[in-house]
Amino acid sequence: MPYFTRFILFLLCLMVLVESRKPKRKKGSGQLEMPRPSHLYKKNLDVTKTRKGKPQPLLRVDDHDFTMRPAFGGPAIPVGVDVQVESLDSISEVDMDFTMTLYLRHYWKDERLAFPSTSNKSMTFDGRLVKKIWVPDVFFVHSKRSFIHDTTTENIMLRVFPDGHVLYSMRITVTAMCNMDFSHFPLDSQTCSLELESYAYTDEDLMLYWKNGDESLKTDEKISLSQFLIQKFHTTSRLAFYSSTGWYNRLYINFTLRRHIFFFLLQTYFPATLMVMLSWVSFWIDRRAVPARVSLGITTVLTMSTIITGVNASMPRVSYIKAVDIYLWVSFVFVFLSVLEYAAVNYLTTVQERKERKLREKFPCVCGMPHSRTMMLDGSYSESEANSLAGYPRSHIRTEEERQDKIVVHLALSNESNSSRKKGLLKGQVGLRIFQHTHAIDKYSRLIFPASYIFFNLIYWSVFS
């Protein structure tokens, strides 16, 4: 009997267990309701998930009017600013502007954004919250173009602390104007500035300042430019006045650039110097080689014109003279003077040949005198010396009124004239010069032109370097 009773109790327990495992049907529906595992109830609840009833917002944005600045009607709200320069993209001399990419950060306190927190941790948001709250209306003065980067989303970050302090950061590329002075170009240094200012709020409503003084401006050590050496970055601030609206706080990001001269030495100064030196070659060419000297002079003049045109094409049309203009135009003058020098030599040579031809027609024939030499005689000789030159009678010597500064005399030295008489003639004449193929102007030009150009270079580089 005890065994039978135990068996009945076992069956009853088994039936109760099976009944409890069967799915239950919901009331009013034919669906079966499965039992939930007990371990799901041990999972932590997510506070951001929607619950039954009205949700509690993390920031009470809808409870305040954010079209007004914080502490409206009270003292000016201080807004700190710091900047990190990511890159200095380009400097344009033609447009007189520069392009810079930077991280612009604002710091202020808005008690309307304060929230309770036990861990004192801040909350970070993207650009969608910026449209719902008050943010400073800072803009770039004298900017031509600017935009906020939006890849892959808008590069805007908003960080709110429990006590209401706000950090507002964005990544911006701005192209701004830079007033450049090219009077020393390309041996110049340029100072440009990026200016920040509130557009609507005067200094009575918003006090814009550098958050950490000079430490508020950070730059990347890898910033470099092809034509400039970045010497220094520094910050300043001052008040700007507008007659119709009042006084505004303005912040300045100043940077100084020193131009690299090596590029212009290779592309401008060195070619111009070579053209000037090339023009001096004509002083050593025979003055009777007219095509060679003329073509050389014209080639150097045209080359200098091309160099000047190429330099001015990459520069703005300023109304003052630049340092490179002085060097190029002085070099051009030297080249042009070398062409005029040959024109003078050719003209004087033609005049001398014409005078010689006339004198040959007036003097009798010197036939039978094989050793004939053409000599230049100054007007400083005496009559006795002139008469003793070749045994000419006095009737053949020109009168004092007809004597010119230089007289071409055909001296016929016969075979009977001894060598001693020739030596006495060479020693006794005063101001006698041999009529050679090289003109005296060419001789002087070989020294005067290089010496003058070297002197000009010494003065130029000492003044502008």
Side-chain angles (χ1 to χ4, degrees), residues 24 28 48 104 121 136 142 148-149 152 250 258 351 449 461:
K24 299 180 181 179
T48 61
L104 178 61
K121 292 183 178 181
H142 306 308
I148 300 175
H149 291 258
T152 57
R250 183 177 294 182
R258 176 74 177 179
V351 171
F449 273 72
W461 294 107

Side-chain angles (χ1 to χ4, degrees), residues 67-105:
T67 59
M68 310 299 291
R69 70 173 179 86
F72 179 76
I77 175 175
V79 177
V81 176
D82 68 33
V83 172
Q84 180 175 350
V85 179
E86 181 182 7
S87 64
L88 194 57
D89 302 326
S90 63
I91 306 291
S92 175
E93 291 89 355
V94 177
D95 299 328
M96 298 183 72
D97 59 22
F98 65 92
T99 302
M100 178 186 294
T101 300
L102 52 88
Y103 295 94
L104 178 61
R105 304 184 183 97

Side-chain angles (χ1 to χ4, degrees), residues 79-84 105 107 208-219 233-237 251-254:
V79 177
V81 176
D82 68 33
V83 172
Q84 180 175 350
R105 304 184 183 97
Y107 302 85
L208 206 61
Y209 69 98
W210 291 111
K211 188 175 184 296
N212 298 315
D214 291 337
E215 299 297 326
S216 300
L217 180 60
K218 303 291 184 181
T219 58
F233 279 89
H234 66 280
T235 60
T236 55
S237 61
L251 306 181
Y252 295 82
I253 302 174
N254 304 309

Side-chain angles (χ1 to χ4, degrees), residues 20 40 46 81 93 152 185 250 289 320 335 339 370 378 420 431 444:
S20 62
L40 294 179
D46 190 351
V81 176
E93 291 89 355
T152 57
F185 176 87
R250 183 177 294 182
Y320 50 85
V335 172
V339 179
D378 282 350
S420 59
Y444 296 144

